[in-house]
Amino acid sequence: MKIITNATVITVNEQNEVIYNGAVGFDGGKITYVGKTPDDLSAYSEVIDGTNKYLMPGLINTHGHVGMSLLRGFADDLPLKQWLEEKMWPMEGQFTAEHVKWGTAISIIEMIRTGTTTFVDMYDHMDTVAQEVEASGMRGVLCRGVIGFCSEEERQQKLQEAASFAVRWNGAANGRIHTMMSPHAPYTCSPEYIQQILEKAIELNVPLHIHMSESKAEVAQNEQDYGVRPVAHLENLGVFNHPTLVAHAVHLTDEEIDTLAKYDVKVAHNPISNLKLASGVARVPEMLAKGVCVSLATDSSASNNNLNLFEELKLAAILHKGVSFDPEVVPAEEALRMATRYAADAVFQKDSLGSLEEGKKADMIMLNAAQAHYHPANDPISHVVYAANGYDVTDTIVDGQFLMKDKELITMDEQKAIDEVNRVFASLNQ
Amino acid sequence: MKIITNATVITVNEQNEVIYNGAVGFDGGKITYVGKTPDDLSAYSEVIDGTNKYLMPGLINTHGHVGMSLLRGFADDLPLKQWLEEKMWPMEGQFTAEHVKWGTAISIIEMIRTGTTTFVDMYDHMDTVAQEVEASGMRGVLCRGVIGFCSEEERQQKLQEAASFAVRWNGAANGRIHTMMSPHAPYTCSPEYIQQILEKAIELNVPLHIHMSESKAEVAQNEQDYGVRPVAHLENLGVFNHPTLVAHAVHLTDEEIDTLAKYDVKVAHNPISNLKLASGVARVPEMLAKGVCVSLATDSSASNNNLNLFEELKLAAILHKGVSFDPEVVPAEEALRMATRYAADAVFQKDSLGSLEEGKKADMIMLNAAQAHYHPANDPISHVVYAANGYDVTDTIVDGQFLMKDKELITMDEQKAIDEVNRVFASLNQ
């Protein structure tokens, strides 16, 4: 048994407790103690001093495409269609497993450094992504995202590949990997194809992950193609009868928010990507008010351009105040829940992730609070959301294992990943 | 003469040049060379290796109240009136010079750490602020902000105090301190008082700095009190005939933007504070399109809640895309200019600050690009704006002097400032 002592423990439990001079004990991958630092530490084989540190749950990033970090900074500030058709797709079309491997490696390094302990990934070459998750010690919720713009034979092949991946990796890496099935979006998969993927997800008992209502144009296209907006479209297809995590959900009517609440559809809110791609601002205060589970996500580094979820944490807390002219919406503690508790719910692991509580997984991070921007030592939750930064993280622990200790990466070689990512990027025809 | 070699030099000059394997030489406080790393370095008494670093102009923060860092995290997520009247003002009313001293100290530390080399400050106890600027080696553009809610005698006393400060400190600290005169806002100063302050600014030949059109309520109040909106009000008072920097300018009509352009009024854009206080989103693309000089600023840590201008840099580049549904507005290079070149113009020092060019002041920063989020090594300007973070800054140089070297502060004692800020904060009645 190990214990971290003398820390400011931000539990994000139901009572939103902050414990000063707090401690968290853990045995293997599980939390065994959360409370004041005990006087008697003799039961613990290792005592880690958390003086001047905040200790909190690791953040959970509920939507992304880590392989795309290979395209960070390759194309910005372009209209979406041009960005996709002239820049992203021609490059991604050349990606091999090796490209995805190194894109994943730099992404995992960045997430470990900035305090993310679980990430959702929807992409191709997912065996490679899963291998990197396994080797790095991270926790992942992974799915092979399938696009139906191809022959029927290829579609069935992709579906089988996605199902095979979901079966082979679910529960792997000591339970650190969960899987999902993923029709990419209503505008890239036909209704029939979505239903086939849904049926497979039901058969395999894994959730669905899908992009939905990201842009105005997408909603208009859906109405033109199918006579209804994306929410009704997916509802009609039976998708929402199954556990589902939708990414974006930017353009919603009041009735659509009611529908998401009714079916307990989980939402991944990507505020930076939504702004950068000019998609708009999701109606987060309205969703939260109606009890929709809204979590935070980065999307990919091609539209962000990093995976530092602390940026989303702050932006989610301030953006909706500004656009609604209401300073009371999305208060700091609610934003923090969106990156932790609610995110654990969004990946269907609320009983084991998302807060520091006895019996939950030992996924946690420490922040260096001995810095000017953490003072005066007022409300730690305010400081985490509004003043802190991902690079304040000193220690990242997943499943009881240190992946970063005192800023040193334990499982990943950053310089090698940097060298390799530049090497494989240079191999692409631009 | 000193020289930094082997760096990726982001000049932010008129041609927006990026120089790979670049170097910047400087002699005392002035830049003497910008170009490729020379073969012969024998002329330089000190050679600093910039391998794997970006070298760029220090950022310029054009609006804030550094003393208010003492109230960081003290009150958040409240309606503006309640936040001000129940939280901020009762605390600020108790501030002595000692409170402002330590609030200023932690602010300067934070700015040095996150790559700001010049900051504008409008507050009280300005002698204390100026002394901290002098001692720290920072560059400051400082003004005693005056509020007219008091007796005529007190108003005249404040005006004299502001003028005395402006005279005594202008050009001090080897020219690192410039001064301005500052009527706080049209809603806190009568027209007569604003004109008296303006006359004094003309007499002393220093610019004016004023809050303007921050919230809808303020604009409506101005119309009710004076029959015109704030821009026409200040234009009518003759303010814009004098060099003026306005903070916020969130709520503007097309005609008002034309007016700001016509008089070359400088704007400090505070996107984080404007969102957090639910003031709204300034019409930055429209201002830029009409040639208004728009710069970036943090406002105070009470409404931000930090002074990390890299956060504004990214937010300015993405926010306006999202709310206008146009991914081409405020491209990365334009956002970077808002934090450097345009900001230098906004503080009326465009000939000496804001870019790395021979003859300009040696105010510059280095960023550690040997990190995952700087790779692949694509467009460095994209990486600085969209992927980087203020805590990537390793070295901060002002007037040719290192204020931070390899992450070590040279002129400031961070632990002492943290201890003192908590001590003086505890002395306040909450």
Side-chain angles (χ1 to χ4, degrees):
Chain A
M1 285 206 300
K2 299 177 182 182
I3 190 165
I4 300 171
T5 58
N6 305 315
T8 297
V9 178
I10 300 171
T11 63
V12 202
N13 66 12
E14 199 129 4
Q15 298 76 40
N16 205 24
E17 272 176 289
V18 174
I19 305 167
Y20 295 93
N21 189 25
V24 173
F26 52 108
D27 191 10
K30 276 212 173 152
I31 294 173
T32 53
Y33 175 80
V34 179
K36 286 279 181 190
T37 299
D39 290 331
D40 181 1
L41 296 168
S42 57
Y44 296 95
S45 60
E46 187 177 351
V47 177
I48 298 130
D49 184 23
T51 300
N52 286 329
K53 302 239 170 116
Y54 287 2
L55 174 57
M56 57 181 278
L59 305 186
I60 300 172
N61 185 346
T62 63
H63 178 67
H65 317 280
V66 289
M68 289 182 81
S69 289
L70 202 65
L71 301 179
R72 187 199 323 271
F74 172 64
D76 304 290
D77 309 339
L78 294 173
L80 184 64
K81 194 175 150 70
Q82 187 184 351
W83 181 74
L84 279 174
E85 295 180 3
E86 296 178 21
K87 299 291 182 177
M88 294 296 114
W89 292 346
M91 294 293 272
E92 289 183 286
Q94 302 174 62
F95 278 12
T96 65
E98 194 183 26
H99 293 97
V100 171
K101 174 183 168 70
W102 294 112
T104 301
I106 55 165
S107 298
I108 287 177
I109 288 167
E110 208 191 326
M111 289 191 279
I112 293 172
R113 285 215 176 276
T114 55
T116 289
T117 53
T118 298
F119 71 100
V120 171
D121 203 60
M122 176 207 285
Y123 210 57
D124 196 0
H125 301 289
M126 292 307 294
D127 282 313
T128 301
V129 176
Q131 284 155 9
E132 287 296 308
V133 169
E134 184 167 38
S136 66
M138 275 287 273
R139 196 178 297 282
V141 182
L142 311 178
C143 51
R144 194 327 188 178
V146 299
I147 293 180
F149 297 146
C150 50
S151 70
E152 179 59 20
E153 190 187 339
E154 280 179 273
R155 273 195 293 274
Q156 293 310 314
Q157 188 190 318
K158 284 182 182 179
L159 172 55
Q160 288 313 312
E161 182 192 320
S164 164
F165 173 79
V167 168
R168 284 181 289 112
W169 286 97
N170 208 13
N174 194 34
R176 286 188 284 108
I177 294 178
H178 285 213
T179 59
M180 302 190 287
M181 291 290 286
S182 173
H184 172 272
Y187 65 94
T188 55
C189 295
S190 69
E192 299 70 31
Y193 198 35
I194 291 175
Q195 282 186 313
Q196 291 168 8
I197 298 166
L198 169 63
E199 280 162 26
K200 188 57 81 175
I202 293 168
E203 179 195 324
L204 301 179
N205 193 27
V206 298
L208 274 187
H209 184 33
I210 187 167
H211 293 100
M212 187 193 76
S213 303
E214 181 175 1
S215 70
K216 280 183 184 175
E218 174 199 332
V219 174
Q221 185 69 43
N222 206 93
E223 285 187 295
Q224 190 179 316
D225 291 347
Y226 305 114
V228 290
R229 294 165 59 92
V231 172
H233 183 62
L234 294 180
E235 183 186 17
N236 294 343
L237 292 173
V239 166
F240 296 155
N241 294 315
H242 189 73
T244 296
L245 168 63
V246 298
H248 303 303
V250 175
H251 298 282
L252 299 177
T253 64
D254 289 347
E255 294 67 30
E256 288 177 310
I257 294 174
D258 289 336
T259 301
L260 298 184
K262 175 181 159 193
Y263 290 98
D264 194 18
V265 175
K266 318 298 184 185
V267 172
H269 173 46
N270 303 259
I272 291 176
S273 177
N274 294 160
L275 291 177
K276 184 163 185 279
L277 295 177
S279 303
V281 178
R283 299 178 62 195
V284 169
E286 293 86 347
M287 285 193 271
L288 291 171
K290 287 187 170 167
V292 176
C293 173
V294 184
S295 59
L296 293 181
T298 56
D299 208 346
S300 89
S301 286
S303 63
N304 187 306
N305 292 351
N306 65 42
L307 302 178
N308 179 353
L309 200 67
F310 275 87
E311 292 185 358
E312 271 73 18
L313 183 56
K314 180 168 183 173
L315 185 57
I318 65 174
L319 175 61
H320 305 287
K321 293 174 171 69
V323 298
S324 69
F325 299 105
D326 182 349
E328 298 186 89
V329 300
V330 196
E333 59 272 19
E334 187 77 340
L336 184 57
R337 283 189 285 261
M338 290 165 70
T340 55
R341 280 186 89 76
Y342 298 168
D345 189 12
V347 297
F348 308 99
Q349 297 183 57
K350 70 176 177 180
D351 292 336
S352 55
L353 303 177
S355 60
L356 298 183
E357 296 180 81
E358 281 174 37
K360 284 201 172 183
K361 300 282 188 189
D363 286 12
M364 46 200 182
I365 58 178
M366 289 203 279
L367 284 76
N368 173 13
Q371 300 182 84
H373 59 294
Y374 284 78
H375 295 275
N378 286 318
D379 179 7
I381 292 175
S382 166
H383 285 353
V384 162
V385 173
Y386 293 124
N389 177 269
Y391 288 91
D392 297 337
V393 174
T394 58
D395 299 80
T396 300
I397 300 164
V398 176
D399 218 26
Q401 301 297 316
F402 279 83
L403 308 189
M404 180 169 73
K405 193 161 190 172
D406 290 333
K407 290 245 167 201
E408 294 296 322
L409 296 174
I410 308 294
T411 57
M412 299 293 286
D413 182 339
E414 186 162 14
Q415 191 55 53
K416 177 165 174 68
I418 288 172
D419 293 343
E420 294 290 338
V421 88
N422 283 295
R423 181 181 64 79
V424 300
F425 179 78
S427 74
L428 300 168
N429 293 314
Q430 298 182 25
Chain B
M1 286 205 298
K2 298 176 183 182
I3 190 165
I4 301 171
T5 58
N6 305 315
T8 297
V9 178
I10 300 172
T11 63
V12 202
N13 66 12
E14 201 130 1
Q15 298 77 36
N16 205 25
E17 273 176 288
V18 174
I19 306 166
Y20 295 93
N21 189 25
V24 174
F26 51 107
D27 190 11
K30 275 209 175 157
I31 294 173
T32 53
Y33 175 80
V34 179
K36 287 277 181 191
T37 298
D39 290 330
D40 180 2
L41 297 168
S42 59
Y44 296 95
S45 60
E46 187 177 350
V47 177
I48 299 130
D49 184 22
T51 299
N52 286 330
K53 300 236 170 122
Y54 286 3
L55 174 58
M56 57 181 278
L59 305 186
I60 300 173
N61 184 346
T62 63
H63 178 68
H65 318 279
V66 289
M68 289 182 82
S69 289
L70 202 65
L71 300 179
R72 187 200 323 269
F74 172 65
D76 303 289
D77 308 338
L78 294 173
L80 184 64
K81 194 175 148 72
Q82 187 184 352
W83 181 74
L84 279 174
E85 295 179 3
E86 296 178 18
K87 298 290 181 177
M88 293 295 113
W89 291 346
M91 294 293 272
E92 289 183 284
Q94 302 173 61
F95 278 13
T96 64
E98 193 183 26
H99 293 96
V100 171
K101 173 184 168 67
W102 294 111
T104 301
I106 55 165
S107 298
I108 287 177
I109 288 168
E110 210 191 326
M111 289 190 280
I112 293 172
R113 284 212 177 279
T114 56
T116 289
T117 52
T118 298
F119 71 100
V120 170
D121 204 60
M122 176 206 288
Y123 211 56
D124 195 0
H125 301 288
M126 291 307 295
D127 282 313
T128 302
V129 176
Q131 285 155 7
E132 288 295 310
V133 170
E134 184 167 39
S136 66
M138 277 286 274
R139 194 178 298 282
V141 182
L142 311 178
C143 52
R144 194 327 187 180
V146 298
I147 293 180
F149 297 146
C150 50
S151 69
E152 180 58 22
E153 189 186 340
E154 280 179 274
R155 273 195 293 274
Q156 293 311 314
Q157 188 190 318
K158 284 182 182 179
L159 174 55
Q160 287 314 313
E161 183 192 318
S164 164
F165 173 79
V167 169
R168 284 183 290 113
W169 286 96
N170 209 12
N174 194 34
R176 286 188 284 106
I177 295 177
H178 285 212
T179 60
M180 301 191 288
M181 291 290 286
S182 173
H184 171 272
Y187 64 95
T188 55
C189 295
S190 68
E192 300 71 29
Y193 197 36
I194 291 175
Q195 282 184 312
Q196 290 168 8
I197 298 165
L198 169 62
E199 280 163 25
K200 187 59 80 175
I202 294 168
E203 179 194 324
L204 301 180
N205 193 26
V206 298
L208 273 187
H209 185 33
I210 187 167
H211 294 99
M212 186 193 76
S213 304
E214 180 175 2
S215 71
K216 281 184 185 175
E218 174 200 333
V219 174
Q221 185 70 45
N222 207 92
E223 286 187 294
Q224 190 178 315
D225 291 348
Y226 304 114
V228 290
R229 294 166 59 92
V231 172
H233 183 61
L234 293 180
E235 184 186 16
N236 294 344
L237 292 173
V239 166
F240 296 155
N241 295 317
H242 188 74
T244 295
L245 169 62
V246 299
H248 304 304
V250 175
H251 299 282
L252 299 178
T253 63
D254 289 345
E255 293 69 30
E256 288 177 308
I257 294 173
D258 288 336
T259 301
L260 298 184
K262 175 180 158 192
Y263 290 98
D264 194 18
V265 174
K266 318 297 185 185
V267 172
H269 174 45
N270 302 258
I272 291 177
S273 177
N274 293 160
L275 290 177
K276 184 163 187 277
L277 295 177
S279 302
V281 178
R283 299 179 63 197
V284 168
E286 292 86 346
M287 285 193 271
L288 291 171
K290 288 188 171 166
V292 176
C293 172
V294 184
S295 59
L296 292 182
T298 56
D299 209 348
S300 89
S301 285
S303 64
N304 187 307
N305 293 351
N306 64 43
L307 303 177
N308 179 353
L309 200 67
F310 275 86
E311 293 186 0
E312 272 73 18
L313 182 56
K314 179 166 182 174
L315 186 56
I318 64 173
L319 175 61
H320 304 287
K321 294 175 169 69
V323 299
S324 70
F325 299 105
D326 182 350
E328 298 187 269
V329 301
V330 196
E333 60 272 20
E334 187 76 342
L336 184 57
R337 283 190 284 260
M338 290 165 69
T340 55
R341 278 185 90 78
Y342 297 167
D345 189 14
V347 298
F348 309 99
Q349 297 182 58
K350 70 176 175 180
D351 292 337
S352 55
L353 303 178
S355 60
L356 299 183
E357 295 179 81
E358 282 174 39
K360 284 202 173 184
K361 300 282 189 188
D363 286 13
M364 47 199 182
I365 58 178
M366 289 203 278
L367 284 76
N368 174 14
Q371 300 182 85
H373 59 294
Y374 285 78
H375 295 274
N378 286 319
D379 179 7
I381 292 175
S382 167
H383 285 352
V384 162
V385 173
Y386 293 125
N389 176 270
Y391 287 91
D392 297 337
V393 174
T394 57
D395 299 81
T396 300
I397 300 164
V398 176
D399 217 27
Q401 302 297 316
F402 278 84
L403 308 189
M404 180 168 73
K405 193 160 191 172
D406 290 333
K407 290 245 169 202
E408 294 295 322
L409 296 175
I410 309 294
T411 57
M412 300 292 287
D413 182 338
E414 186 162 14
Q415 191 55 55
K416 179 167 173 68
I418 288 172
D419 292 343
E420 294 290 338
V421 88
N422 282 294
R423 181 181 64 78
V424 300
F425 179 77
S427 74
L428 300 168
N429 293 314
Q430 299 182 26

